[in-house]
């Protein structure tokens, strides 16, 4: 069966994610409403503003649908803002979050926009050498709980983690042409 | 190899702001109201366009202490405006670390002939446009985001729709042309050839296109999103209304679910305070129209 991958489209670079999945073996769709979320076998929470996406999730009941999806063990992948929303702990912030992943994150950890950068990143479990990784006002992970696997670090800062059915990247694979991380996520969905 | 502030990171931030509302704010309190309502970014400025219009005088880059106080107060990106062609104002805004610069017709132009060469900067720029050719000229100079100008401070959506339709029909027209027609088209509309060619082939602008200038109600936001805007700038529309906090929430609601009239209706019904008082743009003399600034 071709899995349906929902791209949470409340706000953020959902169009880039949709495009990145367009040639993969899945049916990628934009989802905004709780009932649309529930029809998916996997969910991507895109980059964007984590405070905005979090407020919209809470305000329009999308949070409960995501929780239900998680309870069904459907994989969820968060990029940048998505990583922040998956985290249990956000340093110095009481902003709304899903809190599904046992990690602590620091927002805008590499600085403001003028410090945004692109680099080569070696990732455990991703074949064919480093990937080009775009970091935009990016967070990093400052603590991981038991059961959280660190897949990539950048100068000792944790930037990609995997815990059970959850995947989080501080950078934006959807902004480059490589599709290896999309494939890694699809493998999680198909297992 | 690590590269800072590339075209990819600049356009990337613009992509991150899609599907959202960017709100004009003049102080920390307003910035927090915006952030609490779900703004994706705030535009820090000294006076909202409606006040600039009413008070007259030269409108310049905002007081840096106001911008810095807003940067300290919110976690969302902070944008600031510089005057058209005033690259020194832009350098200063970059130096204090704003996340996006709007080279804006809302301020009094500093140069009648030349816009800023934006490729020289690490910070991304957004610029206004009234049609496709103007958008492509700005992108050629390095703008990482385009917004249609509309008529700022008017509370009237009529110019915003005109400019958005001009951009969209401009793109549709290019898509229908043959390769051997594109050079002449580039010459005729006054736009850089390579960008004309790119748009003709890809059928879209190479950077996100947002809408500004006149959005005052949730339905205005839904209209612009349905016409093809990828996000909404609200200038005077929020803080010149009777109850800014509820209006900010309602405009965010309508922008998120713009294609669903039932949701937009819910956003409209929640409003108790009145919208800002608008201006009939047809009654504005040519010299008071902000959209005619820039070229």
């Amino acid at each position: 069966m071709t899995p349906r991958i929902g791209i949470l489209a409340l706000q953020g670079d959902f169009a880039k994610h949709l495009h990145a999945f367009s040639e993969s073996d899945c049916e990628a769709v934009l989802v905004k409403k709780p009932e649309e979320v529930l029809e998916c076998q996997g969910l991507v929470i895109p980059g964007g503003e984590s405070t905005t996406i979090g407020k919209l999730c809470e305000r329009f009941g999308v949070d409960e649908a995501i929780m239900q999806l998680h309870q069904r063990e459907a994989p969820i992948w968060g990029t940048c803002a998505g990583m922040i929303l998956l985290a249990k702990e956000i340093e110095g912030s009481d902003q709304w979050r899903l809190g599904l992943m046992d990690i602590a994150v620091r927002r805008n950890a590499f600085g403001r926009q003028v410090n945004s950068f692109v680099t080569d990143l070696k990732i455990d479990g991703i074949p064919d050498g480093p990937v080009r990784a775009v970091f935009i006002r990016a967070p990093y992970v400052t603590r991981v709980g038991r059961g959280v696997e660190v897949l990539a670090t950048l100068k000792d800062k944790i930037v990609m983690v995997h815990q059970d059915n959850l995947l989080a990247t501080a950078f934006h694979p959807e902004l480059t042409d490589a599709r290896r991380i999309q494939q890694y996520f699809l493998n999680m969905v198909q297992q | 190899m690590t590269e800072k502030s590339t075209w990819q990171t600049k356009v990337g931030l613009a992509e991150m702001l899609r599907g959202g509302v960017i709100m004009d704010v003049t102080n920390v309190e307003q910035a927090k109201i915006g952030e609490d309502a779900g703004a994706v970014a705030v535009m820090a400025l000294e006076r909202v366009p409606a006040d600039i219009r009413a008070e007259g005088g030269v409108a310049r880059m905002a007081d840096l202490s106001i911008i810095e106080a807003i940067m300290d107060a919110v976690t969302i990106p902070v944008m600031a405006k510089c005057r058209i062609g005033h690259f020194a104002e832009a350098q200063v805004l970059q130096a204090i670390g704003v996340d996006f610069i709007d080279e804006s017709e809302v301020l009094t132009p500093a140069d009648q002939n030349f816009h800023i060469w934006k490729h020289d900067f690490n910070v991304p720029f957004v610029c206004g446009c009234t049609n496709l050719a103007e958008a492509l000229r700005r992108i050629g100079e390095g703008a990482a985001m385009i917004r249609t100008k509309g008529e700022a401070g008017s509370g009237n959506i009529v110019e915003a729709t005109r400019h958005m339709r001009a951009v969209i029909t401009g793109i549709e027209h290019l898509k229908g042309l043959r390769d051997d027609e594109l050079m002449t088209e580039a010459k005729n509309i006054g736009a850089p050839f390579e960008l004309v060619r790119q748009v003709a082939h890809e059928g879209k602008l190479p950077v996100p296109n947002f809408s500004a200038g006149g959005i005052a109600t949730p339905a205005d936001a839904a209209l612009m999103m349905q016409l093809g805007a990828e996000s909404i700038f609200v200038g005077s529309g929020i803080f010149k209304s009777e109850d800014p906090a509820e209006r900010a929430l309602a405009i965010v609601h309508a922008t998120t679910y713009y294609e669903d009239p039932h949701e937009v209706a819910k956003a409209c019904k929640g409003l108790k305070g009145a919208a800002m008082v608008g201006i009939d743009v047809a009654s504005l003399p040519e010299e008071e129209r902000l959209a005619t600034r820039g070229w």
Side-chain angles (χ1 to χ4, degrees), chain B residues 13-48:
Chain B
L13 180 57
E15 292 285 349
M16 297 310 144
L17 300 175
R18 281 180 62 162
V21 182
I22 299 161
M23 302 181 192
D24 277 3
V25 298
T26 59
N27 57 43
V28 167
E29 187 197 354
Q30 291 182 353
K32 285 186 169 162
I33 290 172
E35 185 174 51
D36 286 345
V40 291
V42 288
M43 177 77 71
L45 69 177
E46 226 157 53
R47 298 178 282 173
V48 295

Side-chain angles (χ1 to χ4, degrees), chain B residues 2-295:
Chain B
T2 300
E3 294 173 285
K4 260 194 182 180
S5 295
T6 65
W7 180 243
Q8 216 169 17
T9 64
K10 291 176 180 177
V11 180
L13 180 57
E15 292 285 349
M16 297 310 144
L17 300 175
R18 281 180 62 162
V21 182
I22 299 161
M23 302 181 192
D24 277 3
V25 298
T26 59
N27 57 43
V28 167
E29 187 197 354
Q30 291 182 353
K32 285 186 169 162
I33 290 172
E35 185 174 51
D36 286 345
V40 291
V42 288
M43 177 77 71
L45 69 177
E46 226 157 53
R47 298 178 282 173
V48 295
D51 288 336
I52 292 174
R53 192 179 281 290
E55 292 161 19
V58 174
R60 308 180 180 93
M61 171 181 78
D63 183 335
L64 298 186
S65 61
I66 296 176
I67 301 172
E68 285 183 323
I70 291 170
M71 286 164 59
D72 288 340
V74 297
T75 62
I76 55 179
V78 175
M79 302 184 168
K81 288 182 194 289
C82 72
R83 284 177 266 177
I84 290 173
H86 206 317
F87 54 82
E89 282 188 348
Q91 290 163 352
V92 168
L93 292 172
Q94 173 170 283
I96 66 166
V98 302
D99 296 297
F100 234 107
I101 295 176
D102 184 359
E103 185 186 17
S104 177
E105 71 283 359
V106 169
L107 305 185
T108 311
D111 193 312
Q112 291 289 4
N113 296 304
F114 304 105
H115 281 256
I116 296 171
W117 181 248
K118 294 165 273 284
H119 286 295
D120 278 350
F121 288 77
N122 292 327
V123 61
F125 278 76
V126 52
C127 288
C129 74
T130 56
N131 56 43
L132 178 64
E134 192 175 5
L136 296 182
R137 289 194 290 274
R138 298 293 85 77
I139 295 166
E141 294 159 352
M145 179 201 290
I146 287 297
R147 55 173 178 75
T148 47
K149 287 178 181 171
E151 189 56 36
S154 71
N156 188 335
I157 201 71
V158 66
E159 293 298 290
T161 58
R162 197 158 67 87
H163 298 156
M164 184 58 68
R165 284 184 189 276
V167 171
I168 302 293
T169 54
I171 293 171
E172 288 303 314
H173 175 66
L174 284 189
K175 278 163 68 180
L177 296 183
R178 289 158 45 107
D179 278 344
D180 56 12
E181 296 169 331
L182 292 175
M183 183 60 85
T184 302
E185 181 67 10
K187 176 188 168 223
N188 288 345
I189 66 176
F193 170 68
E194 288 301 333
L195 289 172
V196 166
R197 195 158 174 270
Q198 188 179 345
V199 171
H201 288 177
E202 293 177 3
K204 61 184 180 60
L205 285 180
V207 304
N209 180 25
F210 294 5
S211 170
I215 295 154
T217 70
D220 287 347
L223 174 67
M224 296 316 300
M225 292 295 284
Q226 288 187 50
L227 284 176
E230 290 163 334
S231 273
I232 299 292
F233 279 88
V234 187
S236 318
I238 290 173
F239 290 100
K240 282 289 157 188
S241 72
E242 263 181 23
D243 188 338
E246 65 160 29
R247 188 155 293 266
L249 270 170
I251 291 178
V252 169
H253 186 166
T255 302
T256 304
Y257 291 110
Y258 67 90
E259 71 281 73
D260 181 343
H262 296 287
E263 290 293 334
V264 179
K266 278 188 219 165
C268 296
K269 281 195 281 192
L271 290 171
K272 293 178 188 70
M276 71 178 282
V277 177
I279 300 171
D280 178 5
V281 177
S283 71
L284 277 179
E286 191 67 21
E287 63 274 16
E288 288 181 22
R289 293 189 187 198
L290 303 179
T292 59
R293 295 170 168 181
W295 39 94

Side-chain angles (χ1 to χ4, degrees), chain A residues 9-16 32-34 46-49 51-52 55-56 59-60 62 80 95 107-108 112-120 132 134-137 155 172 174-177, chain B residues 1-6 8-10 12-13 15-20 35-40 71 75-78 94 97-99 122-124 249-250 252-253 255-260 263:
Chain A
L10 292 171
Q11 192 276 317
D13 73 333
F14 45 83
K16 286 284 170 189
K32 287 189 188 180
K33 296 197 168 171
E49 280 311 307
T51 51
T52 305
K55 280 171 202 302
L56 294 170
R59 197 170 155 198
F60 299 114
V62 178
C80 195
Q95 74 184 78
R107 290 188 59 194
N108 302 336
R112 301 190 76 95
Q113 172 61 12
V114 289
N115 297 307
S116 292
F117 61 97
V118 187
T119 194
D120 298 309
R132 204 74 187 134
V134 185
F135 289 80
I136 297 173
R137 288 170 48 92
K155 291 177 185 157
H172 296 282
E174 73 280 11
L175 294 184
T176 56
D177 292 332
Chain B
M1 192 183 63
T2 300
E3 294 173 285
K4 260 194 182 180
S5 295
T6 65
Q8 216 169 17
T9 64
K10 291 176 180 177
L13 180 57
E15 292 285 349
M16 297 310 144
L17 300 175
R18 281 180 62 162
E35 185 174 51
D36 286 345
V40 291
M71 286 164 59
T75 62
I76 55 179
V78 175
Q94 173 170 283
V98 302
D99 296 297
N122 292 327
V123 61
L249 270 170
V252 169
H253 186 166
T255 302
T256 304
Y257 291 110
Y258 67 90
E259 71 281 73
D260 181 343
E263 290 293 334

Side-chain angles (χ1 to χ4, degrees), chain A residues 88-158:
Chain A
K88 191 166 275 179
E89 193 185 332
I90 304 168
E91 281 191 5
S93 170
D94 60 357
Q95 74 184 78
W96 187 90
R97 83 275 326 245
L98 292 158
L100 297 173
M101 217 173 187
D102 190 11
I103 56 173
V105 296
R106 181 176 300 166
R107 290 188 59 194
N108 302 336
F110 295 95
R112 301 190 76 95
Q113 172 61 12
V114 289
N115 297 307
S116 292
F117 61 97
V118 187
T119 194
D120 298 309
L121 190 68
K122 198 177 158 300
I123 302 171
D124 284 351
I126 301 286
D128 304 328
V131 299
R132 204 74 187 134
V134 185
F135 289 80
I136 297 173
R137 288 170 48 92
Y140 58 66
V141 177
T142 55
R143 178 189 68 75
V144 294
R146 226 181 283 174
V148 179
E149 188 187 355
V150 175
L151 297 183
T153 58
L154 190 65
K155 291 177 185 157
D156 301 332
K157 312 296 187 206
I158 299 167

